Protein backbone atom coordinates (compact mmCIF):
# COMPACT_ATOMS: atom_id res chain seq x y z
CA UNK A 1 0.00 0.00 0.00
CA UNK A 2 0.91 3.66 -0.19
CA UNK A 3 2.37 4.05 3.33
CA UNK A 4 4.48 0.95 2.94
CA UNK A 5 5.82 2.26 -0.39
CA UNK A 6 6.66 5.64 1.20
CA UNK A 7 8.53 3.88 4.03
CA UNK A 8 10.53 1.78 1.54
CA UNK A 9 11.39 4.80 -0.61
CA UNK A 10 12.68 6.58 2.51
CA UNK A 11 14.59 3.52 3.68
CA UNK A 12 16.33 2.54 0.41
CA UNK A 13 19.65 4.03 -0.69
CA UNK A 14 19.94 2.65 -4.22
CA UNK A 15 17.11 2.30 -6.73
CA UNK A 16 16.47 1.21 -10.28
CA UNK A 17 13.27 2.66 -11.77
CA UNK A 18 11.59 1.08 -14.78
CA UNK A 19 9.84 2.73 -17.71
CA UNK A 20 7.62 0.41 -19.76
CA UNK A 21 8.12 -0.63 -23.40
CA UNK A 22 7.40 2.24 -25.83
CA UNK A 23 6.99 4.63 -22.90
CA UNK A 24 4.17 7.19 -23.02
CA UNK A 25 4.05 10.56 -21.28
CA UNK A 26 2.90 9.00 -18.01
CA UNK A 27 5.70 6.42 -17.99
CA UNK A 28 8.40 8.98 -18.87
CA UNK A 29 7.03 11.81 -16.69
CA UNK A 30 6.34 9.77 -13.57
CA UNK A 31 9.68 7.87 -13.67
CA UNK A 32 11.71 11.03 -14.24
CA UNK A 33 9.81 12.76 -11.42
CA UNK A 34 10.39 9.98 -8.91
CA UNK A 35 14.06 9.62 -9.94
CA UNK A 36 14.59 13.39 -9.52
CA UNK A 37 12.88 13.41 -6.10
CA UNK A 38 14.89 10.44 -4.80
CA UNK A 39 18.16 11.98 -6.07
CA UNK A 40 17.26 15.21 -4.27
CA UNK A 41 17.13 13.10 -1.11
CA UNK A 42 20.70 11.93 -1.79
CA UNK A 43 19.81 8.49 -3.11
CA UNK A 44 21.42 6.77 -6.09
CA UNK A 45 18.94 6.19 -8.90
CA UNK A 46 19.21 4.53 -12.31
CA UNK A 47 16.43 4.28 -14.88
CA UNK A 48 16.06 1.10 -16.93
CA UNK A 49 14.24 1.04 -20.26
CA UNK A 50 14.15 -1.59 -22.99
CA UNK A 51 14.14 0.79 -25.97
CA UNK A 52 14.32 4.54 -26.32
CA UNK A 53 12.46 7.50 -24.88
CA UNK A 54 10.40 8.82 -27.86
CA UNK A 55 11.85 12.05 -29.30
CA UNK A 56 8.63 13.82 -28.35
CA UNK A 57 9.64 13.67 -24.66
CA UNK A 58 13.23 14.80 -25.13
CA UNK A 59 12.26 18.30 -23.92
CA UNK A 60 12.03 16.83 -20.40
CA UNK A 61 15.30 17.25 -18.47
CA UNK A 62 17.10 13.95 -17.88
CA UNK A 63 15.20 12.10 -20.60
CA UNK A 64 18.41 10.81 -22.18
CA UNK A 65 18.65 7.38 -20.59
CA UNK A 66 21.72 5.19 -20.93
CA UNK A 67 21.21 1.64 -22.18
CA UNK A 68 19.87 -0.77 -19.57
CA UNK A 69 22.63 -3.16 -20.65
CA UNK A 70 25.12 -0.90 -18.80
CA UNK A 71 23.30 -1.62 -15.54
CA UNK A 72 23.91 -5.38 -15.64
CA UNK A 73 26.63 -5.48 -12.97
CA UNK A 74 24.98 -3.20 -10.45
CA UNK A 75 22.96 -4.07 -7.38
CA UNK A 76 20.10 -2.13 -5.82
CA UNK A 77 18.01 -1.98 -2.67
CA UNK A 78 14.79 -1.59 -4.67
CA UNK A 79 13.49 -2.09 -8.21
CA UNK A 80 10.54 0.25 -8.79
CA UNK A 81 8.02 -0.43 -11.58
CA UNK A 82 5.87 2.55 -12.62
CA UNK A 83 2.81 2.43 -14.90
CA UNK A 84 3.32 -1.33 -15.48
CA UNK A 85 0.25 -3.59 -15.23
CA UNK A 86 2.51 -6.62 -15.19
CA UNK A 87 6.22 -7.47 -15.09
CA UNK A 88 6.41 -8.17 -18.84
CA UNK A 89 5.63 -4.52 -19.62
CA UNK A 90 9.34 -3.74 -19.08
CA UNK A 91 10.47 -6.27 -21.70
CA UNK A 92 14.05 -7.56 -21.63
CA UNK A 93 15.08 -4.99 -19.01
CA UNK A 94 13.27 -7.23 -16.52
CA UNK A 95 16.62 -9.01 -16.02
CA UNK A 96 17.82 -5.97 -13.99
CA UNK A 97 15.00 -6.39 -11.45
CA UNK A 98 16.64 -9.48 -9.99
CA UNK A 99 19.67 -7.34 -9.09
CA UNK A 100 17.51 -5.56 -6.49
CA UNK A 101 16.78 -6.98 -3.04
CA UNK A 102 13.08 -6.09 -3.22
CA UNK A 103 10.57 -4.69 -5.69
CA UNK A 104 7.93 -1.94 -5.61
CA UNK A 105 4.98 -1.61 -8.02
CA UNK A 106 3.29 1.80 -8.40
CA UNK A 107 0.47 1.62 -10.93
CA UNK A 108 -3.08 2.59 -11.92
CA UNK A 109 -4.12 -0.26 -14.24
CA UNK A 110 -7.15 -2.18 -12.95
CA UNK A 111 -5.67 -5.34 -14.51
CA UNK A 112 -2.45 -5.01 -12.42
CA UNK A 113 -1.19 -8.42 -11.27
CA UNK A 114 0.38 -7.22 -7.95
CA UNK A 115 3.65 -8.82 -9.02
CA UNK A 116 6.05 -6.99 -6.65
CA UNK A 117 6.98 -7.29 -2.96
CA UNK A 118 5.23 -3.95 -2.28
CA UNK A 119 2.26 -3.00 -4.46
CA UNK A 120 0.42 0.32 -4.54
CA UNK A 121 -2.25 0.10 -7.23
CA UNK A 122 -4.83 2.87 -7.47
CA UNK A 123 -7.14 2.38 -10.43
CA UNK A 124 -8.88 5.67 -9.62
CA UNK A 125 -5.71 7.65 -10.41
CA UNK A 126 -5.91 9.21 -13.87
CA UNK A 127 -2.15 8.82 -14.28
CA UNK A 128 0.71 7.32 -12.27
CA UNK A 129 1.86 10.95 -12.31
CA UNK A 130 -0.92 11.69 -9.78
CA UNK A 131 0.39 8.94 -7.50
CA UNK A 132 3.98 10.19 -7.81
CA UNK A 133 2.71 13.69 -6.98
CA UNK A 134 1.37 12.26 -3.71
CA UNK A 135 4.72 10.57 -3.01
CA UNK A 136 6.58 13.84 -3.65
CA UNK A 137 4.32 15.61 -1.15
CA UNK A 138 5.38 13.04 1.47
CA UNK A 139 9.07 12.91 0.55
CA UNK A 140 9.88 16.57 -0.09
CA UNK A 141 8.69 19.58 -2.02
CA UNK A 142 7.53 20.29 -5.55
CA UNK A 143 9.61 22.49 -7.81
CA UNK A 144 9.29 23.60 -11.43
CA UNK A 145 11.08 20.57 -12.88
CA UNK A 146 8.96 18.10 -10.89
CA UNK A 147 5.81 20.02 -11.84
CA UNK A 148 6.78 19.78 -15.54
CA UNK A 149 7.22 16.00 -15.32
CA UNK A 150 3.94 15.46 -13.48
CA UNK A 151 1.98 17.84 -15.72
CA UNK A 152 3.23 15.97 -18.81
CA UNK A 153 2.20 12.63 -17.26
CA UNK A 154 -1.28 13.93 -16.46
CA UNK A 155 -2.12 15.65 -19.74
CA UNK A 156 -0.99 12.69 -21.85
CA UNK A 157 -2.88 10.04 -19.83
CA UNK A 158 -6.09 12.13 -19.62
CA UNK A 159 -6.04 13.31 -23.26
CA UNK A 160 -5.81 16.89 -21.94
CA UNK A 161 -8.46 16.28 -19.26
CA UNK A 162 -10.84 14.89 -21.88
CA UNK A 163 -11.04 11.21 -20.86
CA UNK A 164 -13.30 9.61 -18.28
CA UNK A 165 -10.39 9.11 -15.86
CA UNK A 166 -10.20 12.88 -15.23
CA UNK A 167 -11.43 13.71 -11.71
CA UNK A 168 -11.69 16.68 -9.37
CA UNK A 169 -8.48 15.41 -7.79
CA UNK A 170 -6.75 15.57 -11.18
CA UNK A 171 -7.64 19.27 -11.41
CA UNK A 172 -6.69 19.95 -7.78
CA UNK A 173 -3.26 18.42 -8.38
CA UNK A 174 -2.87 20.32 -11.65
CA UNK A 175 -3.81 23.61 -9.95
CA UNK A 176 -0.99 23.00 -7.47
CA UNK A 177 1.45 22.20 -10.31
CA UNK A 178 0.60 25.54 -11.94
CA UNK A 179 1.70 27.33 -8.78
CA UNK A 180 5.24 26.11 -9.43
CA UNK A 181 6.09 28.14 -12.50
CA UNK A 182 5.10 25.79 -15.34
CA UNK A 183 3.43 27.08 -18.49
CA UNK A 184 0.71 24.76 -19.85
CA UNK A 185 1.02 26.33 -23.31
CA UNK A 186 4.78 25.59 -23.51
CA UNK A 187 4.34 21.99 -22.41
CA UNK A 188 1.36 21.50 -24.76
CA UNK A 189 3.39 22.93 -27.66
CA UNK A 190 6.33 20.64 -26.87
CA UNK A 191 4.06 17.58 -26.73
CA UNK A 192 1.45 18.29 -29.43
CA UNK A 193 2.85 20.85 -31.84
CA UNK A 194 6.23 19.36 -32.52
CA UNK A 195 5.08 16.53 -34.76
CA UNK A 196 7.77 15.14 -37.13
CA UNK A 197 6.70 15.37 -40.77
CA UNK A 198 7.22 11.56 -41.12
CA UNK A 199 4.47 11.13 -38.56
CA UNK A 200 1.98 13.08 -40.69
CA UNK A 201 2.93 11.11 -43.81
CA UNK A 202 2.42 7.94 -41.79
CA UNK A 203 -1.00 9.19 -40.67
CA UNK A 204 -2.22 9.58 -44.25
CA UNK A 205 -1.22 5.96 -44.95
CA UNK A 206 -2.78 4.59 -41.77
CA UNK A 207 -6.03 6.54 -42.31
CA UNK A 208 -6.23 4.89 -45.72
CA UNK A 209 -6.62 1.51 -43.99
CA UNK A 210 -9.67 2.65 -41.94
CA UNK A 211 -12.48 0.08 -42.03
CA UNK A 212 -15.77 -0.23 -40.19
CA UNK A 213 -17.47 -3.30 -38.75
CA UNK A 214 -20.66 -4.11 -36.76
CA UNK A 215 -22.80 -1.25 -38.14
CA UNK A 216 -19.89 1.18 -37.86
CA UNK A 217 -19.60 0.62 -34.10
CA UNK A 218 -16.11 -0.82 -34.53
CA UNK A 219 -13.37 0.97 -36.49
CA UNK A 220 -10.04 -0.69 -37.35
CA UNK A 221 -6.81 0.65 -38.82
CA UNK A 222 -3.47 -1.01 -39.49
CA UNK A 223 0.18 -0.05 -39.55
CA UNK A 224 1.88 -2.67 -41.69
CA UNK A 225 5.58 -3.33 -42.30
CA UNK A 226 4.92 -2.26 -45.87
CA UNK A 227 3.67 1.18 -44.73
CA UNK A 228 6.70 1.64 -42.44
CA UNK A 229 9.07 0.82 -45.28
CA UNK A 230 7.33 3.18 -47.69
CA UNK A 231 7.24 6.17 -45.30
CA UNK A 232 10.56 5.63 -43.51
CA UNK A 233 8.70 6.27 -40.26
CA UNK A 234 8.81 4.26 -37.03
CA UNK A 235 5.79 2.81 -35.22
CA UNK A 236 6.58 5.29 -32.42
CA UNK A 237 5.46 8.02 -34.86
CA UNK A 238 1.92 6.60 -34.68
CA UNK A 239 1.29 7.86 -31.13
CA UNK A 240 -2.34 8.99 -30.86
CA UNK A 241 -3.45 7.79 -34.33
CA UNK A 242 -6.03 5.44 -32.82
CA UNK A 243 -7.94 8.47 -31.55
CA UNK A 244 -8.92 9.33 -35.13
CA UNK A 245 -10.74 6.00 -35.40
CA UNK A 246 -12.48 6.49 -32.06
CA UNK A 247 -13.48 10.07 -32.92
CA UNK A 248 -15.82 8.94 -35.70
CA UNK A 249 -19.54 9.42 -34.97
CA UNK A 250 -21.11 6.18 -33.72
CA UNK A 251 -17.83 4.34 -33.18
CA UNK A 252 -17.62 2.63 -29.79
CA UNK A 253 -14.47 0.50 -30.22
CA UNK A 254 -11.36 1.64 -32.10
CA UNK A 255 -8.62 -0.88 -32.89
CA UNK A 256 -5.15 -0.27 -34.32
CA UNK A 257 -3.05 -3.25 -35.46
CA UNK A 258 0.73 -2.78 -35.49
CA UNK A 259 2.53 -5.36 -37.60
CA UNK A 260 5.78 -5.48 -35.59
CA UNK A 261 6.87 -8.50 -37.63
CA UNK A 262 5.28 -11.22 -39.79
CA UNK A 263 4.27 -13.13 -36.66
CA UNK A 264 3.99 -10.47 -33.94
CA UNK A 265 1.00 -8.14 -33.96
CA UNK A 266 0.57 -5.51 -31.29
CA UNK A 267 -3.01 -4.37 -30.87
CA UNK A 268 -4.25 -1.10 -29.33
CA UNK A 269 -7.86 -0.75 -28.20
CA UNK A 270 -9.87 2.34 -27.28
CA UNK A 271 -13.55 2.63 -26.43
CA UNK A 272 -15.77 5.69 -26.23
CA UNK A 273 -18.46 5.18 -23.61
CA UNK A 274 -19.25 1.69 -22.37
CA UNK A 275 -17.23 -1.26 -23.70
CA UNK A 276 -14.54 -2.48 -21.30
CA UNK A 277 -11.58 -2.91 -23.66
CA UNK A 278 -9.33 -4.08 -20.78
CA UNK A 279 -11.58 -7.17 -20.76
CA UNK A 280 -11.10 -7.71 -24.49
CA UNK A 281 -7.32 -7.25 -24.16
CA UNK A 282 -7.21 -9.60 -21.14
CA UNK A 283 -9.05 -12.33 -23.07
CA UNK A 284 -6.31 -11.96 -25.70
CA UNK A 285 -3.45 -12.09 -23.16
CA UNK A 286 -2.97 -8.34 -22.57
CA UNK A 287 -4.53 -5.76 -20.28
CA UNK A 288 -5.00 -2.05 -19.62
CA UNK A 289 -7.80 0.32 -18.67
CA UNK A 290 -11.54 0.21 -19.43
CA UNK A 291 -11.17 2.80 -22.23
CA UNK A 292 -7.57 2.09 -23.36
CA UNK A 293 -5.94 -1.32 -23.51
CA UNK A 294 -3.59 -3.48 -25.55
CA UNK A 295 -2.16 -6.92 -26.24
CA UNK A 296 0.34 -8.69 -28.48
CA UNK A 297 -0.62 -11.68 -30.63
CA UNK A 298 2.02 -14.03 -32.04
CA UNK A 299 0.40 -14.78 -35.41
CA UNK A 300 0.16 -13.20 -38.87
CA UNK A 301 -1.84 -9.97 -39.27
CA UNK A 302 -4.78 -11.55 -41.12
CA UNK A 303 -5.27 -14.17 -38.38
CA UNK A 304 -4.92 -11.56 -35.63
CA UNK A 305 -7.59 -9.39 -37.29
CA UNK A 306 -10.08 -12.27 -37.36
CA UNK A 307 -9.46 -13.20 -33.73
CA UNK A 308 -9.58 -9.61 -32.42
CA UNK A 309 -12.76 -8.78 -34.36
CA UNK A 310 -14.47 -11.92 -33.11
CA UNK A 311 -13.81 -11.07 -29.44
CA UNK A 312 -14.58 -7.36 -29.94
CA UNK A 313 -17.88 -8.02 -31.70
CA UNK A 314 -18.91 -10.35 -28.90
CA UNK A 315 -18.01 -7.79 -26.19
CA UNK A 316 -19.76 -4.98 -28.08
CA UNK A 317 -23.03 -6.91 -27.89
CA UNK A 318 -22.52 -8.22 -24.33
P1 LIG B 1 -1.45 1.70 -26.04
O1 LIG B 1 -2.57 1.38 -26.94
O2 LIG B 1 -1.31 3.17 -25.83
O3 LIG B 1 -0.16 1.02 -26.39
O4 LIG B 1 -1.84 1.09 -24.62
C1 LIG B 1 -3.05 1.45 -24.01
C2 LIG B 1 -3.10 0.90 -22.61
O5 LIG B 1 -3.07 -0.51 -22.62
C3 LIG B 1 -1.93 1.33 -21.73
O6 LIG B 1 -2.47 1.70 -20.49
C4 LIG B 1 -1.06 0.12 -21.61
O7 LIG B 1 -0.48 0.05 -20.38
C5 LIG B 1 -2.01 -1.05 -21.84
N1 LIG B 1 -1.36 -2.10 -22.64
C6 LIG B 1 -0.94 -2.02 -23.92
N2 LIG B 1 -0.40 -3.16 -24.33
C7 LIG B 1 -0.46 -4.02 -23.28
C8 LIG B 1 -0.06 -5.39 -23.07
O8 LIG B 1 0.46 -6.08 -23.96
N3 LIG B 1 -0.31 -5.90 -21.84
C9 LIG B 1 -0.90 -5.18 -20.84
N4 LIG B 1 -1.10 -5.77 -19.65
N5 LIG B 1 -1.29 -3.92 -21.01
C10 LIG B 1 -1.08 -3.33 -22.20
MN1 LIG C 1 -0.49 5.49 -17.23
Amino acid sequence: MKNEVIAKLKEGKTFVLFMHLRPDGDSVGSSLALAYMLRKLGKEVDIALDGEVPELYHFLPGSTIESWLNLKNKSYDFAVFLDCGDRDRVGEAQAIASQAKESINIDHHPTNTHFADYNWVDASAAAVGEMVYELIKELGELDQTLATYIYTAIITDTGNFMYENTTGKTHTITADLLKHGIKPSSIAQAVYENVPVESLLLLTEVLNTLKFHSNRCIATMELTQDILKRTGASSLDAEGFINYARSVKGVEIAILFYEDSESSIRVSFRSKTYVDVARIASILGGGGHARAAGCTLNMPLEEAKIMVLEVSTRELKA
Side-chain angles (χ1 to χ4, degrees), residues 238-288:
E239 181 72 36
F241 284 9
I242 190 167
N243 295 325
Y244 288 96
R246 172 167 61 183
S247 72
V248 178
K249 186 177 176 180
V251 167
E252 173 58 23
I253 306 176
I255 305 169
L256 177 53
F257 296 94
Y258 297 85
E259 188 183 30
D260 284 341
S261 76
E262 248 174 48
S263 59
S264 177
I265 311 299
R266 202 151 40 82
V267 191
S268 280
F269 297 93
R270 298 290 184 273
S271 62
K272 199 181 274 166
T273 52
Y274 68 93
V275 171
D276 182 356
V277 285
R279 232 185 88 87
I280 299 179
S282 298
I283 293 170
L284 297 162

Side-chain angles (χ1 to χ4, degrees), residues 86 89 109 268 270 286-289 292-295:
D86 58 61
R89 290 290 289 150
H109 292 92
S268 280
R270 298 290 184 273
H289 305 281
C295 66

Side-chain angles (χ1 to χ4, degrees), residues 20 24-27 30 83-84 107-109 125-129 153 157 289:
H20 61 67
D24 55 10
D26 190 26
S27 174
S30 57
D83 202 32
C84 295
D107 185 38
H108 68 140
H109 292 92
V128 172
D157 254 28
H289 305 281

Side-chain angles (χ1 to χ4, degrees), residues 38-309:
L38 292 173
R39 285 178 189 139
K40 260 193 12 178
L41 297 172
K43 298 165 192 295
E44 261 184 52
V45 186
D46 287 326
I47 296 179
L49 163 63
D50 178 359
E52 308 266 318
V53 172
E55 214 179 305
L56 172 67
Y57 300 115
H58 287 188
F59 74 97
L60 292 171
S63 55
T64 310
I65 312 264
E66 66 171 321
S67 166
W68 66 275
L69 295 166
N70 297 343
L71 308 176
K72 276 196 161 171
N73 295 317
K74 298 186 77 170
S75 55
Y76 303 97
D77 292 330
F78 291 100
V80 187
F81 295 79
L82 296 131
D83 202 32
C84 295
D86 58 61
R87 225 172 234 285
D88 289 341
R89 290 290 289 150
V90 304
E92 300 278 319
Q94 210 178 127
I96 304 294
S98 58
Q99 296 163 213
K101 291 188 201 107
E102 291 186 293
S103 56
I104 298 173
N105 162 17
I106 304 170
D107 185 38
H108 68 140
H109 292 92
T111 54
N112 189 287
T113 57
H114 295 252
F115 54 85
D117 296 310
Y118 305 98
N119 301 281
W120 177 30
V121 179
D122 180 0
S124 75
V128 172
E130 285 189 4
M131 301 170 76
V132 171
Y133 167 88
E134 290 184 35
L135 293 177
I136 288 167
K137 287 278 165 173
E138 297 283 341
L139 296 169
E141 279 180 22
L142 267 183
D143 62 20
Q144 190 176 348
T145 306
L146 286 168
T148 303
Y149 293 143
I150 304 283
Y151 188 82
T152 303
I154 291 177
I155 60 167
T156 51
D157 254 28
T158 60
N160 305 309
F161 312 104
M162 199 172 81
Y163 302 150
E164 230 173 44
N165 57 0
T166 306
T167 63
K169 189 172 170 183
T170 311
H171 283 289
T172 305
I173 292 173
T174 307
D176 191 20
L177 299 178
L178 294 192
K179 291 179 191 144
H180 289 82
I182 59 164
K183 276 176 90 184
S185 58
S186 310
I187 299 176
Q189 270 171 29
V191 177
Y192 301 108
E193 296 181 344
N194 214 2
V195 177
V197 69
E198 293 79 15
S199 172
L200 223 61
L201 296 176
L202 189 67
L203 176 62
T204 65
E205 295 275 349
V206 171
L207 282 177
N208 259 325
T209 69
L210 180 67
K211 285 192 182 64
F212 296 101
H213 317 263
S214 297
N215 295 322
R216 290 207 164 190
C217 291
I218 300 177
T220 59
M221 299 194 301
E222 47 195 82
L223 204 182
T224 59
Q225 282 294 321
D226 184 48
I227 291 177
L228 286 179
K229 280 190 205 113
R230 246 185 298 131
T231 55
S234 127
S235 68
L236 287 175
D237 292 320
E239 181 72 36
F241 284 9
I242 190 167
N243 295 325
Y244 288 96
R246 172 167 61 183
S247 72
V248 178
K249 186 177 176 180
V251 167
E252 173 58 23
I253 306 176
I255 305 169
L256 177 53
F257 296 94
Y258 297 85
E259 188 183 30
D260 284 341
S261 76
E262 248 174 48
S263 59
S264 177
I265 311 299
R266 202 151 40 82
V267 191
S268 280
F269 297 93
R270 298 290 184 273
S271 62
K272 199 181 274 166
T273 52
Y274 68 93
V275 171
D276 182 356
V277 285
R279 232 185 88 87
I280 299 179
S282 298
I283 293 170
L284 297 162
H289 305 281
R291 304 283 169 264
C295 66
T296 298
L297 296 170
N298 295 314
M299 57 183 76
L301 179 60
E302 291 310 312
E303 275 177 47
K305 277 159 55 176
I306 293 168
M307 184 180 272
V308 166
L309 274 172

